[in-house]
Amino acid sequence: LMFIPSAFTPNRDGRNEFWKPEGLGVEGDKYEVWVYDRWGKIVWHATDFSESWDGTYMESDDIVMQGIYTWKVIAGDEKVEKGFHEYYGTVTILK
């Protein structure tokens, strides 16, 4: 079971600064998340379920532009036949 927020505000005001999928029963060694910009470029990637995205480009301190970003999550689940779930959606960055 996953809950994935649809928006956040990484404007460094101390409120709602991070985006992170949450879930129950996720196997830590079988987890990956990607966030893409409108051109399909990866702006953030993580393999650790405890990591959160702070709205910056990979390996940068620059916050991405306000807008809609596409994400993909693969989360391990030994209770399903293929051993994992795939989730897709969008997250809106508001500043």
Side-chain angles (χ1 to χ4, degrees), residues 5-10 16-19 53-55 91-95:
S6 60
F8 75 117
T9 58
N16 200 24
E17 296 291 324
F18 300 97
W19 178 85
W53 182 36
D54 62 1
V91 58
T92 301
I93 300 260
L94 302 169
K95 293 184 182 181

Side-chain angles (χ1 to χ4, degrees), residues 53-93:
W53 182 36
D54 62 1
T56 59
Y57 285 102
M58 291 183 71
E59 302 175 13
S60 164
D61 193 37
D62 299 327
I63 295 176
V64 298
M65 293 175 32
Q66 179 169 299
I68 299 172
Y69 293 80
T70 303
W71 53 258
K72 175 182 178 180
V73 172
I74 295 177
D77 184 344
E78 62 186 34
K79 296 179 183 177
V80 296
E81 184 176 323
K82 61 184 176 181
F84 61 91
H85 291 283
E86 290 186 33
Y87 302 91
Y88 302 89
T90 60
V91 58
T92 301
I93 300 260

